[in-house]
Amino acid sequence: MIERHIEEALLHALEAYGVFEEDVQLELERPKDPSHGDLSSNVALILAKRLGRKPRELAGEIAATVELDKDLVESVEIAGPGFINFRYAHTALTRPLLEIVEKGEHYGESNAGEGERVILEYISANPTGPLNIVSARAAAVGSTLHRVMHKAGYRPTSEFYVNNAGRQVRLFGESLRARYLQAKGQEAEVPEDGYQGEYVREIAAELLERGVALFDELKELDTGRIIGELAVPKGTPDDWLELDEEESTRAFGSCGIIILLLSHRRTCRRFAVHFDSWYLESEIHQSNRIERALKLLRDGGHVYEKEGAVWLRTTDFGDEKDRVLVRSDGTPTYFLPDIAYHLSKKERGAELAIDFLGPDHHGYIARMQAAMECLGYPPGWLEIIILQQVNLIQDGKPLEMSKRAGRLVTMDQLIDEVGRDVARFFFLARKNSSHLDFDLDLARQQSNDNPGWYVKYAHARICSVLRNAKAHGVQEKTASLDELELLTEESEIALCRLLPELPGIVARAAAARDLARLTRFAIEVATAFHQFYQQCRILTDDAALTRARLTLSQATRVVLANTLELLGMEAPERM
RNA sequence: GCGCCCGUAGCUCAGCAGGAUAGAGCAUCGGACUUCUAAUCCGACGGUCGCAGGUUCGAAUCCUGCCGGGCGCGCCA
């Protein structure tokens, strides 16, 4: 609001030069260096050339004529090549503390997203194996973007797309069937290109031991939805062996998928990840969406036939070559159901679709986005974010992630090893597009070297002070505006400046899909608090000062707790 | 060959809708607990922002070309 006030005053002052709102984009920014004031404008630098003036001179004139509320803005100065710097009045710095405490867990919300409906798709790992490290990164980033968008006024839903159709599933069924036979002591071979992983053997062993009772245990994890829609094979595993080969393979395949999918859900839950829906690829095949997608593409004039196959002219929209939709043997490629799946997202009301994909999929972006344009969707409707690879570092060296060696490769093992909060923080602390070196030794340390702990410690420390205040009979009363005037130490002011940035940080993190801004902000706030704590005693003999500092602490706690909540981390009251 | 990502302090990374002396953490060295959690804080050391051009009043930031590292380029999914 104070920024809005300055912006309007500045625009008003510019009218004298024949410059109006539509002529210039005001960029008011917070200077890094506090000696440059609280808000800075480069408008004189931008306009100098157009007006044929010297920047510094022009800045001086504007600064002299701009009309500001003295209660909000203490001073206006020109500096450097021609910046106009505004310094807030003290009360304008401390007043936001009251709003923060008042709003509590709602602080940070905004309407920046204007209710836009977004479907976020992430992880979407094949249900034929355990979740791995890249899945963990996707889980952290996707779920946090979901929370952040929600807070910033979008209407996001999160979705896990389950590839439960196609060749992979059949292969998996064959592999599991073979392992089951082996477990019974019979001769069987896992297919050459099948699933060799140890986990298949484990599932087979469990199946042998407990039979279909295994499902009953797992059903507790299910809201009824997944198992309800995935046909549970009838009878026992031994019955399935009696079926003809195709039926038998299918039974073992669906059984394995149900088991893995539910374990994925359990793993996600451990990681504070919740999906609003699990969308089955089989649903796409059972509905008429594939035919409809194909018809829509045809109607748009982007489909042709060549060498017996059906092609989509994705080159119409910037792809490097056209892509096959239906093979010459009449079966659809992976591409077509995927288009149909995105058609369903649109039909379910998505105004924007964001997919998180692994590093091996960036060749996929151009064709998928082109396909969406072939369907007539606006450019940008589908946004694909590539999460780069994760290297686990141990003893200063990259850990070989060999499946055979059984090294730490699954998401569950990672959570066991370093805990949910630290893992999430590490994943969220990097830009999505950056390769990420995950330092296991650092992550395991419960010390100041570990930024996740650092932030949580700040929160616990505040809670400790608040407890002490209560124990000493200090009333839980928010300070008055006059009392807040007592906050004058450098570290106090620094905190006051920082805390009100939360709503803007959240809104920008959502808009840029950049969650690393939040982790950085969390560290900044924690640092500012630790400095304040070091410099100022909170509980003093001066009741008014104590109230002011407790209010500042309380506001800091709110901002830290809300930020940690967005990151999917615990905000502990004691450590 | 084409495309995507990355190249900033010894290490891990910020900063990049152009803006005022390039910032953190770790590591190294030196300080601060009779006082609300020292899982903390303060200080010192440390950089031709991969290289070369260009645009600009101003470039780590934008454009072009190189160099180096990672990944991707199927009628696989």
Side-chain angles (χ1 to χ4, degrees):
Chain A
M1 50 190 169
I2 182 167
E3 288 175 42
R4 185 78 202 134
H5 168 65
I6 291 174
E7 191 177 334
E8 281 169 4
L10 212 43
L11 282 169
H12 185 68
L14 290 175
E15 288 175 13
Y17 299 89
V19 175
F20 298 95
E21 195 166 352
E22 55 273 20
D23 300 326
V24 64
Q25 201 184 353
L26 283 187
E27 286 168 20
L28 292 166
E29 55 175 38
R30 293 161 200 278
K32 281 170 266 180
D33 183 345
S35 75
H36 292 141
D38 296 293
L39 206 62
S40 176
S41 169
N42 62 351
V43 70
L45 290 159
I46 292 169
L47 291 177
K49 194 166 202 183
R50 199 190 302 180
L51 299 175
R53 302 285 308 273
K54 287 182 183 161
R56 233 188 121 90
E57 208 176 278
L58 184 63
E61 279 181 27
I62 296 172
T65 52
V66 68
E67 290 170 28
L68 293 161
D69 185 342
K70 283 274 179 270
D71 290 338
L72 293 177
V73 181
E74 182 186 280
S75 71
V76 184
E77 296 151 15
I78 57 167
F83 290 99
I84 304 171
N85 295 334
F86 302 88
R87 193 175 303 277
Y88 295 174
H90 188 265
T91 166
L93 287 171
T94 54
R95 185 177 288 148
L97 297 179
L98 299 179
E99 185 198 343
I100 294 170
V101 173
E102 167 91 11
K103 287 193 175 159
E105 62 185 26
H106 292 291
Y107 186 68
E109 292 174 358
S110 70
N111 191 31
E114 296 176 329
E116 187 174 25
R117 291 173 183 274
V118 187
I119 292 186
L120 295 169
E121 182 202 334
Y122 55 96
I123 306 182
S124 296
N126 279 333
T128 52
L131 296 178
N132 58 25
I133 298 297
V134 175
S135 305
R137 184 175 191 178
V141 172
S143 61
T144 298
L145 184 60
H146 184 228
R147 291 159 188 255
V148 166
M149 286 190 133
H150 183 74
K151 192 121 184 151
Y154 298 76
R155 278 184 289 181
T157 53
S158 54
E159 189 154 285
F160 189 117
Y161 184 53
V162 181
N163 296 113
N164 66 327
R167 212 167 61 93
Q168 294 307 316
V169 176
R170 208 187 60 233
L171 259 180
F172 183 60
E174 286 172 22
S175 309
L176 181 57
R177 186 172 185 275
R179 289 297 189 203
Y180 184 74
L181 283 167
Q182 287 173 357
K184 285 173 74 79
Q186 298 180 31
E187 277 293 313
E189 280 286 317
V190 173
E192 181 89 3
D193 50 351
Y195 290 84
Q196 308 288 345
E198 193 56 33
Y199 64 93
V200 185
R201 208 192 296 263
E202 287 164 14
I203 293 174
E206 264 195 289
L207 210 49
L208 180 63
E209 192 181 324
R210 301 195 218 164
V212 283
L214 193 53
F215 288 131
D216 297 331
E217 282 173 41
L218 288 166
K219 267 178 189 159
E220 290 172 24
L221 277 168
D222 193 25
T223 54
R225 209 177 153 223
I226 300 177
I227 289 187
E229 302 199 10
L230 281 166
V232 180
K234 291 196 173 63
T236 68
D238 284 337
D239 295 336
W240 308 339
L241 290 174
E242 303 305 318
L243 301 166
D244 69 58
E245 194 176 330
E246 191 174 327
E247 289 284 310
S248 179
T249 299
R250 187 176 301 151
F252 277 98
S254 348
C255 156
I257 281 176
I258 290 171
I259 289 170
L260 280 169
L261 216 45
L262 294 177
S263 87
H264 288 178
R265 169 173 284 195
R266 179 171 45 200
T267 305
C268 286
R269 195 170 291 179
R270 291 182 70 199
F271 211 51
V273 172
H274 164 82
F275 285 98
D276 296 314
S277 67
W278 298 66
Y279 198 93
L280 303 180
E281 186 187 350
S282 53
E283 256 174 67
I284 297 282
H285 292 278
Q286 282 155 16
S287 70
N288 63 349
R289 271 216 178 76
I290 289 186
E291 294 87 78
R292 277 201 295 123
L294 197 51
K295 182 173 185 309
L296 281 169
L297 293 170
R298 277 218 168 87
D299 293 349
H302 302 288
V303 174
Y304 63 94
E305 301 203 9
K306 191 179 83 182
E307 294 160 9
V310 180
W311 295 71
L312 182 64
R313 200 179 294 109
T314 50
T315 49
D316 286 350
F317 296 100
D319 194 10
E320 56 187 12
K321 57 183 170 192
D322 293 340
R323 308 290 172 174
V324 172
L325 293 170
V326 184
R327 299 184 189 97
S328 47
D329 67 4
T331 60
T333 60
Y334 177 81
F335 191 35
L336 183 53
D338 227 20
I339 293 172
Y341 168 49
H342 283 82
L343 171 69
S344 113
K345 289 186 184 176
K346 178 78 171 178
E347 289 178 346
R348 282 179 288 147
E351 297 166 87
L352 173 68
I354 300 179
D355 296 0
F356 287 94
L357 297 178
D360 49 342
H361 283 76
H362 63 239
Y364 188 66
I365 300 176
R367 91 185 58 163
M368 201 60 206
Q369 289 182 327
M372 295 301 105
E373 291 198 56
C374 289
L375 283 173
Y377 301 168
W381 178 81
L382 172 63
E383 201 175 300
I384 298 179
I385 297 175
I386 295 294
L387 294 171
Q388 284 294 345
Q389 70 181 68
V390 178
N391 297 314
L392 292 172
I393 307 292
Q394 187 160 279
D395 303 326
K397 290 181 303 235
L399 203 79
E400 287 301 322
M401 292 211 267
S402 143
K403 281 180 186 165
R404 282 167 208 273
R407 311 294 282 273
L408 185 125
V409 285
T410 70
M411 185 162 155
D412 274 316
Q413 286 169 313
L414 181 74
I415 300 171
D416 292 342
E417 195 72 21
V418 306
R420 179 246 282 180
D421 286 355
V422 169
R424 288 190 67 110
F425 196 92
F426 272 55
F427 286 127
L428 293 166
R430 292 280 173 280
K431 279 185 305 193
N432 302 329
S433 58
S434 293
H435 297 219
L436 189 150
D437 285 332
F438 196 110
D439 188 333
L440 280 169
D441 300 316
L442 178 58
R444 277 189 282 246
Q445 279 179 47
Q446 303 194 356
S447 77
N448 51 339
D449 300 349
N450 188 329
W453 286 93
Y454 179 83
V455 174
K456 296 200 328 179
Y457 178 60
H459 185 271
R461 209 178 201 189
I462 296 171
C463 290
S464 167
V465 174
L466 297 177
R467 275 195 303 274
N468 284 335
K470 205 179 231 172
H472 286 79
V474 179
Q475 281 193 346
E476 274 187 81
K477 195 171 139 238
T478 307
S480 68
L481 266 179
D482 284 343
E483 287 168 337
L484 291 178
E485 290 294 306
L486 299 170
L487 300 174
T488 54
E489 296 290 337
E490 198 183 332
S491 58
E492 294 171 325
I493 298 301
L495 255 184
C496 288
R497 284 203 167 95
L498 195 55
L499 299 179
E501 290 199 34
L502 181 65
I505 297 274
V506 172
R508 283 194 297 276
R513 335 285 188 223
D514 178 8
L515 292 331
R517 291 167 195 247
L518 281 177
T519 52
R520 262 177 262 135
F521 180 69
I523 291 172
E524 264 188 85
V525 173
T527 302
F529 180 78
H530 286 313
Q531 287 170 336
F532 160 62
Y533 182 90
Q534 207 76 24
Q535 189 184 6
C536 305
R537 194 170 164 86
I538 297 166
L539 305 174
T540 66
D541 297 335
D542 181 338
L545 181 63
T546 299
R547 259 198 299 280
R549 287 181 174 167
L550 278 173
T551 300
L552 179 58
S553 303
Q554 184 62 262
T556 307
R557 196 201 65 75
V558 167
V559 168
L560 276 179
N562 293 3
T563 306
L564 285 167
E565 165 71 22
L566 288 171
L567 296 172
M569 294 169 64
E570 187 202 359
E573 297 193 1
R574 293 170 204 272
M575 280 173 74

